[in-house]
Amino acid sequence: PCKPSVMPSDGSALTPSADIETPRESPLLDDQCSPNDGRQKLIFIIINGILGAGVLGSYVAGFIMIPDVTLLWGNISDAMMYVYIVSILGATVGFPLAFFGVVLSGPLKWRPGFRCQIDPWMWLTTGVFLFLSCSCLWMPLCTAVLAPEKSTASYNRYAHAISLALFGAGTGAAIFASGLWALDMGMAARIGATWTALHCLIGDATLWPVYFAAGVLE
């Protein structure tokens, strides 16, 4: 506790007492880092782990339940299938690059000139949550259309849900990728996240539904 000061009898200016500590700025504020950076990173990792396992589990269940998994390609041509597979492989490598780029980075700070009141971890975690949670829905919805056998009635029932799930996944991936470009992040992480977002928005949400619908309805 600070000692009460007493005005000297001669009216001279008071000298600060040695017992009074001068306030110092927090080093966290000096670095402009979130005081909860470690906890937010842990939440980011946990969400990726749980939902990532959910996506992989849904794929395994779908491959087991769908009698002919080639039906997932619809009526896509062989040439387009090769292009699509290359895009899938790029996203399969790109997202882990982005994930580890974020996890292995230092405290997150927006780049100078980027004005945003949203915490960087909140931005990235929201994007990843939307991306992976919607991705968890895609295979179960396709399974409802194709198992035990492909059904036009089932497609008509779930077509909009499939499109919304794919669009949601692409939007989440885009949010995540845009956040990396606004942070001091490695180029490999940025390119990986951007490739993933473009694949989800163009390949999955735009082109694939057309081929899938043609294959189911033919």
Side-chain angles (χ1 to χ4, degrees), residues 2-77:
C2 300
K3 295 181 178 180
S5 57
V6 180
M7 178 68 71
S9 58
D10 59 1
S12 61
L14 289 174
T15 301
S17 171
D19 293 333
I20 301 178
E21 295 183 0
T22 304
R24 293 179 297 176
E25 292 188 4
S26 167
L28 290 174
L29 297 178
D30 293 339
D31 278 340
Q32 299 179 354
C33 302
S34 170
N36 297 319
D37 191 83
R39 184 179 66 183
Q40 291 173 316
K41 179 182 290 189
L42 179 60
I43 293 173
F44 178 80
I45 293 172
I46 291 174
I47 287 177
N48 272 272
I50 294 176
L51 293 180
V55 173
L56 295 177
S58 71
Y59 276 45
V60 172
F63 290 151
I64 293 173
M65 296 176 65
I66 297 175
D68 183 5
V69 294
T70 60
L71 293 174
L72 289 169
W73 290 107
N75 71 344
I76 190 172
S77 64

Side-chain angles (χ1 to χ4, degrees), residues 1 17 29 32-33 38 84 90 92 108-109 116 122 131 134 154 173 178 185 190 200:
S17 171
L29 297 178
Q32 299 179 354
C33 302
Y84 201 86
T92 302
L108 298 185
K109 294 184 292 184
C116 183
M122 178 63 69
F131 166 54
C134 289
S154 296
S178 64
M185 197 63 57
R190 291 174 175 174
C200 291

Side-chain angles (χ1 to χ4, degrees), residues 1-3 56 58 79 104 140 144 147 158 169 188 204 206 210 214:
C2 300
K3 295 181 178 180
L56 295 177
S58 71
L104 298 178
Y158 296 111
D204 289 347
T206 305
V210 177

